[in-house]
Amino acid sequence: MPRGLGRSVPMSETATATLAPAMTRSLPLDVEALYRACADDLYAYARSVVRDPAVAEEVVATVFERALQRRRRFDPGRGSPRAWIFGIARHAAIDELRRRGRGAVLDHDPVDEATPDPAEALADREQDRERREAVAAAIRALPGRDRELVALKFHAGLSHAEIGEVLGISATNAGSRLHRVIVHLREACRVAV
Amino acid sequence: MLRSESRLDPEVVAELERLDAVLAGDREADPLLALLAEDVAATRPRLDADARVRLEARTDAVRVRVARPRKAVWRGRFERPSWRLGLALAAVAAVAVPVAGGLALDQSRDETASVVNQSLDERNPSQQAAGPDASATEALPSSGGSSGAAQQLQSRRTSERRVVRDVRQTLRVARGEVAGATARIATIVGDAGGYLASSEVRERGASAGGTFEVVVPSAQLDATVARLSRVGSLVRLERSSRDVTDQAASLDDRLKDVRADRAALRLQLARTVDPQRRAARRRELRVLSSRVARLEGEQRSLRQQTDTTRIGLRLTTSSAAGAGPSEVDDGGWGLGQAWHDAGRVLGVVAGGLLVGAAVVVPVALVALGAVLLRRRRRRAAGDRLIDGA
């Protein structure tokens, strides 16, 4: 079930509704629990950035390893655990892109047929379908940094401050950029409608 | 993040707040935004079952690999060349700093260290061979300039050095023992055949002590110094010497020459009949005689300097002003001196650290700037990579 549909939605399909205390701002950090709670969100983010599913899978695996190795370096005073692990994910994605020498650009984003998109079941109107396709196309056309903004906000559910920590910018700057992306996507919606 | 926090437009803030509300489940906050959120959520990439299994396998492998024992982790770290180099440098510093501190301490000690019963290496070999009286004044050869006398003089020059010696000695006595020490000093000097050239004694008060100028025959110098050292605790002993053998030999030669000239002039005077020439001879004779007298005076003075030695003796009491640890050193090493030594070492270390900091801090600032610049460039490069993906 996608986010923001009028019910309490877990952060990921494999997580409980709220993080355990060890994953909040107290130490020691339970990396395994944090990872399990964020794994799907991490994949969604990684996939949004690198596009290639195999590369995204590699990124997620790397995130777990690095988070496990660096768990003692987590400083709750500098940010939330989720921002911390998504920061690791960003660097892992960059490293993977650098290692492969180029962005993994797909001609199309294959549909995950193993797990039917629940939204499709609700989209009973052609208009909704066209609008949704327009939004998807607009997202695909976004520059990489804007796509990761969308992933961090809509898929991972990070706050503006947490997004700023991940991207290394201020919360204000993150909000400003997110606003621009929303305006762009809204325009895409409007055009489609 | 060092950027200044600029304020967002209120409309932007309001829309972002509505977005947060929508994502939290409040569709009524902004129905259009809620629709957009649904559309975006529909594009969310999802992990398929196979991918999930693969990830699980990889995380299991990572878990085992990362969960190495801490000892193995540290052992692995120690095997790295960088760690070994760091440990080696730390070991070198741990040895070098105390050694440097000790050397600095020894050097400062040498400047004020006491030397008890210094060796007699300063005594010239001829004196040692001939006995204590070897430095006594000897008769100079008569004028005549025979080759035999010259050779005799030459051999005397090489075998008997003339040395002017000077000794400074500081002794520490108890406050009530100044008078007794003064009496013992007078006795020792008298026994050695010397005399007190000057003395100043303060028997009472905070600055109780005394200063003495002692003159003893050079032959009795070592024995006198040793006996004086036992009057109190020897605090300081300084010896200096100046070899004036060449100066004495030159003086002797000049005196011999002038005497020879005077003797020859006397013969000429005896043979001269002419009154005017006799007067001229007499005038020349007077000049030569005054030179002889002057040179004989210099000779006597030099002889006195080498035949006797002046000892500058200072008596100090244990609570005398200015008698700090650097002066009062009886050869022992107690807690106070340990503190002093430790303070000196720490002072050396602190000085070294200060100098090091003066070098390291600017370098560190430059390195920090380079690191920050590199970090910024890496971030920009990462952004470009993501944009290009």
Side-chain angles (χ1 to χ4, degrees):
Chain A
M1 180 71 72
R3 290 182 172 275
L5 291 184
R7 65 180 176 87
S8 171
V9 179
M11 277 178 279
S12 76
E13 294 176 358
T14 60
T16 55
T18 57
L19 286 174
M23 292 184 286
T24 59
R25 289 177 177 259
S26 62
L27 284 174
L29 185 65
D30 188 347
V31 171
E32 291 236 21
L34 175 64
Y35 170 76
R36 293 200 179 283
C38 302
D40 284 11
D41 297 340
L42 287 170
Y43 178 79
Y45 167 75
R47 182 80 182 270
S48 300
V49 172
V50 303
R51 299 193 196 240
D52 189 300
V55 177
E57 206 176 300
E58 184 69 30
V59 169
V60 173
T62 303
V63 168
F64 176 70
E65 180 171 5
R66 290 184 183 179
L68 210 57
Q69 289 171 341
R70 299 173 189 176
R71 61 187 182 278
R72 289 184 181 83
R73 282 196 235 168
F74 170 69
D75 181 7
R78 296 181 62 181
S80 66
R82 283 179 65 82
W84 175 73
I85 201 168
F86 274 92
I88 294 176
R90 188 173 198 265
H91 286 109
I94 291 172
D95 290 343
E96 201 60 34
L97 289 172
R98 187 179 291 123
R99 192 173 68 85
R100 290 168 189 263
R102 59 176 177 86
V105 180
L106 299 179
D107 292 332
H108 68 279
D109 198 355
V111 175
D112 294 319
E113 297 185 1
T115 309
D117 185 359
E120 288 291 343
L122 299 176
D124 56 355
R125 290 196 297 168
E126 183 67 18
Q127 196 177 21
D128 288 342
R129 191 182 64 80
E130 287 178 358
R131 189 193 66 243
R132 197 153 290 171
E133 282 177 3
V135 168
I139 290 174
R140 282 195 298 271
L142 284 174
R145 283 189 288 167
D146 289 343
R147 285 202 313 278
E148 71 171 334
L149 264 176
V150 170
L152 289 172
K153 187 64 183 177
F154 290 87
H155 301 330
L158 298 186
S159 66
H160 302 144
E162 289 173 332
I163 292 173
E165 288 170 26
V166 173
L167 302 182
I169 58 178
S170 66
T172 306
N173 195 0
S176 173
R177 288 171 55 184
L178 186 61
H179 172 71
R180 280 201 303 273
V181 171
I182 292 172
V183 167
H184 177 77
L185 293 178
R186 272 189 166 179
E187 182 61 23
C189 274
R190 191 189 64 80
V191 168
V193 171
Chain B
M1 289 177 274
L2 303 178
R3 296 185 176 79
S4 59
E5 291 285 337
S6 56
R7 298 174 69 85
L8 286 173
D9 190 276
E11 290 184 8
V12 173
V13 173
E15 183 166 48
L16 292 174
E17 287 174 353
R18 290 197 299 272
L19 175 63
D20 287 337
V22 161
L23 292 176
D26 182 12
R27 294 198 63 179
E28 300 306 318
D30 190 330
L32 287 177
L33 210 49
L35 209 56
L36 177 62
E38 288 176 16
D39 295 339
V40 172
T43 67
R44 177 192 171 94
R46 300 179 195 282
L47 264 173
D48 60 22
D50 291 338
R52 205 177 292 278
V53 168
R54 286 193 297 271
L55 270 177
E56 197 64 37
R58 290 192 64 173
T59 54
D60 288 342
V62 165
R63 201 178 294 112
V64 170
R65 189 166 63 247
V66 172
R68 279 188 305 165
R70 289 180 67 87
K71 197 182 292 185
V73 171
W74 279 103
R75 194 181 305 125
R77 283 183 182 170
F78 287 139
E79 288 172 358
R80 289 187 214 160
S82 58
W83 270 83
R84 287 182 179 178
L85 181 62
L87 285 174
L89 288 175
V92 168
V95 172
V97 167
V99 168
L103 288 175
L105 185 62
D106 286 343
Q107 189 177 6
S108 65
R109 270 189 175 178
D110 288 344
E111 294 172 358
T112 60
S114 65
V115 178
V116 181
N117 294 327
Q118 270 190 347
S119 69
L120 302 180
D121 292 341
E122 292 176 5
R123 295 182 65 181
N124 65 67
S126 65
Q127 283 189 348
Q128 287 179 336
D133 296 328
S135 64
T137 305
E138 71 280 4
L140 290 174
S142 60
S143 63
S146 64
S147 61
Q151 287 177 359
Q152 207 173 13
L153 182 61
Q154 181 65 27
S155 66
R156 193 174 290 142
R157 283 181 191 174
T158 56
S159 63
E160 294 178 353
R161 309 297 299 181
R162 287 189 171 266
V163 180
V164 176
R165 291 184 174 83
D166 185 68
V167 176
R168 296 270 166 217
Q169 203 169 1
T170 302
L171 305 173
R172 180 163 57 93
V173 297
R175 196 188 294 266
E177 294 180 3
V178 172
T182 303
R184 287 200 296 276
I185 289 170
T187 302
I188 291 170
V189 171
D191 291 346
Y195 60 94
L196 279 175
S198 68
S199 66
E200 182 185 340
V201 180
R202 301 169 296 280
E203 293 188 13
R204 292 183 181 81
S207 59
T211 53
F212 306 87
E213 194 75 18
V214 173
V215 180
V216 296
S218 297
Q220 301 296 324
L221 175 63
D222 294 327
T224 305
V225 169
R227 289 187 68 187
L228 289 174
S229 299
R230 290 191 286 271
V231 171
S233 298
L234 185 61
V235 174
R236 178 186 300 180
L237 180 62
E238 296 175 2
R239 290 175 181 255
S240 64
S241 62
R242 182 167 56 91
D243 192 317
V244 296
T245 306
D246 292 341
Q247 182 183 350
S250 170
L251 188 60
D252 293 345
D253 291 342
R254 280 186 289 149
L255 182 59
K256 187 189 72 174
D257 291 342
V258 173
R259 280 177 176 165
D261 292 342
R262 185 177 62 173
L265 191 60
R266 279 176 179 162
L267 283 176
Q268 287 182 9
L269 178 64
R271 294 187 191 128
T272 304
V273 177
D274 183 58
Q276 284 184 344
R277 285 189 178 180
R278 284 182 67 84
R281 292 287 182 273
R282 286 197 188 92
R283 283 197 295 275
E284 291 176 21
L285 199 59
R286 281 198 290 276
V287 169
L288 286 178
S289 294
S290 69
R291 278 188 195 167
V292 167
R294 181 171 54 80
L295 290 172
E296 286 175 343
E298 289 180 16
Q299 191 182 61
R300 278 195 299 276
S301 173
L302 193 60
R303 190 175 302 144
Q304 189 179 18
Q305 289 179 53
T306 57
D307 288 349
T308 59
T309 301
R310 287 182 175 270
I311 301 174
L313 181 63
R314 179 170 170 255
L315 278 185
T316 181
T317 56
S318 56
S319 59
S326 60
E327 292 186 278
V328 181
D329 188 351
D330 57 2
W333 198 68
L335 186 61
Q337 281 151 327
W339 278 111
H340 172 67
D341 292 349
R344 281 179 168 265
V345 171
L346 287 175
V348 169
V349 171
L353 289 175
L354 194 61
V355 171
V359 172
V360 167
V361 166
V363 172
L365 286 174
V366 170
L368 180 64
V371 165
L372 291 175
L373 186 64
R374 182 169 176 265
R375 194 176 292 177
R376 195 170 182 175
R377 284 182 176 172
R378 283 182 66 90
R379 184 175 295 151
D383 290 345
R384 284 194 296 273
L385 274 171
I386 290 177
D387 277 342

